[in-house]
Amino acid sequence: MSTQIAKNIGVLGAGQLGRMLALAGYPLGNTFTFLDTTGNPSAGIGEVIIDPDNQHLAAFLDKVDVVTYEFEHLPVELVQQIEQHKPVYPGSRAIAVCQNRVEEKTLFDRLGIPTPAYRVVESAEQLQAAAAELGCPVVAKSVTEGYDGKGQAVLKAPEQAQEAWEAIGHSQLIVEAFVDFVREVSMIAVRGRDGDVVFYPMAENQHVGGILRYSVAPLPDLDASVQQAADNYIRVLLDELDYVGVLALELFQTRDGSLLANEMAPRVHNSGHWTMDGAVTSQFENHLRAIQGLPLGATNAIAPTCMVNVIGLEGDNAALLAIADTHLHRYDKAERPGRKLAHVNVVAENHAELLEKVRACQALIPDAPPVEWSFESAL
């Protein structure tokens, strides 16, 4: 009988995603070493090497067998350097593409993945012209950096171009036409070392101020052909990048049912947190299975599930846990405006019951916005 050798996992970044990776990996016999390049780690688990000046990379590499990351805003050169010594999954090409919105959109175009109409601009004058051409409102985004709504501006008229250009403060922007969408959705898939791919049910997401607040899956009114289209889009990305691990693809679903890709994230993703309690195998466990060359786990949903983000201030945790089939995942972080502190996974027998429970959770979480699902009227 063969014995699995426990792998020592190195993680670039030391935030809550790394924390949840470790929690999923301990039952697999993994150990975890985090390399924090920010000077502000929050994982609170495993061994953390704080290295903002890149002085301790050799010590990190000595402790690990395989490297992954929980944060894609890393120096690509650092990831490429690590690849010379240890396997890194996903590879540096995925990070390079995701760090540059123009490269990302170009890749989508080449692979036949539809996106909202866009232009690339390099001055306030070009921004104004693009806004006029695409038709306002438009959203302008920095080509590099920016997440959770940062580095963006909405223009309601071309005349706002100068103000938006100065506010974003980047030398190159991507300008996107607004989409008349029914809902924001995301696809999460996992590709193993052997090229095997498994797909999670599509989730519907609700953002406020660019920050995710709710994700629900599976969707009761989702046509199988829409799920299949999303599966196909993410599969071609995974294969093109020779990707290993979890990949998230955010999309808009329009009124005719078609999908337009917004952006992708080369890591475990906030919109996949529902899988921790609502799917057979969580995104975190499957990511670890993938990067170790282990068989991938089943991805089907156990029951209707909603992930509720806790932002800025903690909720009434005891009261939250008093709601049946509700699971609290705290990140051991200090309260701060806009900071992700925890999430709550709510599981129910049907979507009507789920909606009722989520509204009960919302009342117990400070500043939680009303939940609005596209399928609510059909319940």
Side-chain angles (χ1 to χ4, degrees), residues 62 79 198 237:
D62 282 345
V79 182
V198 293
L237 282 169

Side-chain angles (χ1 to χ4, degrees), residues 342-360:
H343 72 270
V344 181
N345 281 339
V346 185
V347 183
E349 292 188 6
N350 56 65
H351 287 82
E353 178 190 328
L354 183 64
L355 178 58
E356 184 179 336
K357 286 183 175 181
V358 171
R359 285 185 170 148

Side-chain angles (χ1 to χ4, degrees), residues 181-338:
F181 60 87
V182 175
R183 56 187 167 200
E184 297 177 72
V185 294
S186 59
M187 265 304 301
I188 291 180
V190 197
R191 187 175 185 269
R193 284 185 179 180
D194 60 358
D196 185 32
V197 179
V198 293
F199 307 93
Y200 284 95
M202 185 182 292
E204 178 174 345
N205 304 317
Q206 182 180 337
H207 292 81
V208 176
I211 299 177
L212 182 65
R213 300 307 299 248
Y214 303 101
S215 288
V216 61
L219 301 179
D221 62 339
L222 187 70
D223 191 278
S225 64
V226 178
Q227 177 79 46
Q228 185 62 53
D231 290 356
N232 292 339
Y233 293 155
I234 201 167
R235 181 188 283 276
V236 296
L237 282 169
L238 291 164
D239 290 342
E240 169 67 22
L241 296 170
D242 194 19
Y243 195 96
V244 175
V246 164
L247 178 69
L249 177 62
E250 298 180 8
L251 309 114
F252 301 110
Q253 184 179 2
T254 62
R255 297 189 183 281
D256 64 2
S258 61
L259 297 170
L260 298 174
N262 180 27
E263 61 186 20
M264 61 181 183
R267 52 172 169 78
V268 288
H269 195 258
N270 199 172
S271 70
H273 290 358
W274 70 270
T275 65
M276 298 170 75
D277 300 290
V280 174
T281 312
S282 78
Q283 65 165 345
F284 299 98
E285 180 180 336
N286 254 339
H287 184 78
L288 293 169
R289 288 187 183 211
I291 68 173
Q292 294 177 83
L294 298 172
L296 302 179
T299 54
N300 49 298
I302 297 169
T305 306
C306 182
M307 184 280 303
V308 183
N309 262 342
V310 179
I311 310 290
L313 295 170
E314 291 272 4
D316 185 340
N317 291 328
L320 286 166
L321 290 172
I323 300 171
D325 295 322
T326 293
H327 306 272
L328 176 64
H329 300 270
R330 299 179 67 206
Y331 308 153
D332 193 25
K333 287 182 172 183
E335 294 180 330
R336 192 175 71 205

